[in-house]
Amino acid sequence: NAGVMQNPRHLVRRRGQEARLRCSPMKGHSHVYWYRQLPEEGLKFMVYLQKENIIDESGMPKERFSAEFPKEGPSILRIQQVVRGDSAAYFCASSPRGSDYNEQFFGPGTRLTVL
Amino acid sequence: GIQVEQSPPDLILQEGANSTLRCNFSDSVNNLQWFHQNPWGQLINLFYIPSGTKQNGRLSATTVATERYSLLYISSSQTTDSGVYFCAVLSGGSYIPTFGRGTSLIVHP
């Protein structure tokens, strides 16, 4: 049973370019969470999605960031016009349901470097 | 919102030593998880333990929900135990976990 998959594992972008990060949840999981981790810090919640629905995006910056989880295919976190401050590790996690009794499983993360 | 505090923030051990990591939380919780982030950055699930005690090899965890804390025990530590240990909680019907700031563990050979 494959775990949560993320790609790419490392992404380098120049300022002003777009970054697309992908997350495939574990089989049977329909809930995806995205987190950002800055160096030497803990994880900060960004957005919570179900298939075709954004449930909570309270942790995501209002501009330049967007997320989707289509009916088919992986969840995508998109960062437009990247800036150096976007450099971080981005993790996704999946769970079978979104209730507060469910265990989350994390992917290996995507390390974004903005030059 | 709920506050999560982990202690100690940093811990240095000699291989073979035992240690206890603590996670305090300010409100009742429905869900508590312990994670290990290894030196390569990967987050590994250790325990899903909203209450009670669980053991997995050299690791065990206990959550006393009524007293609002959880403990992670590492026995006979190995260099591969190095990394950061996070606890994360869910409370009050929220589906957004709150993470502690972590305990950074270094195990020397």
Side-chain angles (χ1 to χ4, degrees):
Chain A
N1 186 13
V4 179
M5 310 287 284
Q6 287 188 252
N7 68 81
R9 295 291 301 275
H10 300 273
L11 183 61
V12 179
R13 285 288 179 265
R14 297 191 181 279
R15 281 180 296 170
Q17 292 184 317
E18 178 180 288
R20 282 192 180 224
L21 288 62
R22 295 174 184 78
C23 169
S24 296
M26 287 180 68
K27 187 176 181 180
H29 288 192
S30 58
H31 297 257
V32 166
Y33 303 76
W34 284 94
Y35 297 85
R36 177 164 62 178
Q37 186 178 35
L38 295 170
E40 309 297 325
E41 294 190 12
L43 282 85
K44 301 296 184 187
F45 167 80
M46 297 182 74
V47 60
Y48 162 46
L49 311 103
Q50 295 177 27
K51 287 277 188 182
E52 299 184 280
N53 280 308
I54 297 174
I55 306 303
D56 189 319
E57 55 183 348
S58 60
M60 201 153 67
K62 294 285 187 289
E63 297 179 354
R64 302 189 297 108
F65 286 72
S66 62
E68 62 177 5
F69 190 13
K71 186 176 181 181
E72 301 291 337
S75 175
I76 307 284
L77 179 67
R78 183 182 177 207
I79 311 172
Q80 295 177 289
Q81 299 174 329
V82 296
V83 300
R84 290 221 174 104
D86 296 333
S87 295
Y90 292 84
F91 291 92
C92 81
S94 73
S95 67
R97 297 191 305 275
S99 80
D100 53 2
Y101 294 93
N102 272 277
E103 187 174 2
Q104 293 195 2
F105 295 85
F106 279 83
T110 293
R111 275 136 192 91
L112 173 65
T113 301
V114 179
L115 302 177
Chain B
I2 190 169
Q3 305 297 313
V4 179
E5 293 184 2
Q6 290 187 243
S7 60
D10 301 282
L11 187 58
I12 299 175
L13 299 174
Q14 207 67 31
E15 201 167 29
N18 303 327
S19 62
T20 301
L21 282 58
R22 188 176 182 102
C23 173
N24 290 335
F25 37 94
S26 60
D27 204 347
S28 58
V29 298
N30 300 316
N31 178 330
L32 188 146
Q33 288 187 251
W34 282 97
F35 297 94
H36 173 214
Q37 188 167 36
N38 64 24
W40 295 270
Q42 190 166 8
L43 280 157
I44 300 161
N45 287 37
L46 296 178
F47 294 102
Y48 170 70
I49 186 166
S51 64
T53 297
K54 290 186 178 180
Q55 179 150 11
N56 185 2
R58 297 181 296 103
L59 302 182
S60 63
T62 295
T63 297
V64 184
T66 53
E67 298 189 18
R68 300 182 182 172
Y69 72 88
S70 183
L71 302 175
L72 177 69
Y73 305 97
I74 305 174
S75 64
S76 305
S77 58
Q78 300 176 358
T79 56
T80 52
D81 295 331
S82 296
V84 182
Y85 290 80
F86 292 102
C87 72
V89 303
L90 285 172
S91 73
S94 173
Y95 40 69
I96 300 172
T98 300
F99 281 77
R101 295 182 65 84
T103 291
S104 177
L105 173 65
I106 298 174
V107 180
H108 287 303

